[in-house]
């Protein structure tokens, strides 16, 4: 439940970083927050939860839905 509350806080506090009807990954949202705000306890907690909820693909290229990374 604590993670959900942190994600709700992130959307409330940092939602303006999204364009109208824009859909981005959690990792892109984390990058935007990092670029816009100096390090601090709230920002760091939000970034940690975003990254826990959507870990980056280490060394894998992004593929289209339904494709495996090897066939991309």
């Amino acid at each position: 439940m604590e993670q959900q509350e942190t994600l709700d806080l992130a959307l409330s506090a940092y939602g303006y970083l999204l364009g109208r009807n824009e859909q981005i990954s959690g990792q892109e949202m984390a990058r935007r927050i990092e670029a816009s705000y100096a390090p601090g306890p709230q920002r760091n907690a939000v970034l940690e939860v975003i990254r826990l909820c959507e870990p980056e693909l280490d060394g894998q290229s992004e593929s289209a839905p339904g494709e495996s990374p090897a066939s991309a």
Side-chain angles (χ1 to χ4, degrees):
M1 188 63 175
E2 186 176 320
Q3 286 183 343
Q4 184 61 51
E5 291 171 359
T6 302
L7 289 173
D8 291 345
L9 167 73
L11 290 174
S12 263
Y14 307 114
Y16 77 93
L17 296 170
L18 295 168
R20 184 179 195 113
N21 295 323
E22 181 180 21
Q23 295 182 6
I24 62 172
S25 69
Q27 295 305 312
E28 176 59 24
M29 187 64 178
R31 283 189 282 275
R32 291 182 187 188
I33 293 168
E34 282 181 316
S36 300
Y37 287 88
Q42 178 178 312
R43 184 200 88 144
N44 295 346
V46 165
L47 294 176
E48 181 180 347
V49 169
I50 289 172
R51 290 184 173 129
L52 283 173
C53 291
E54 185 184 271
E56 268 189 283
L57 300 174
D58 293 325
Q60 296 182 8
S61 63
E62 292 185 28
S63 56
E67 283 186 14
S68 68
S71 66

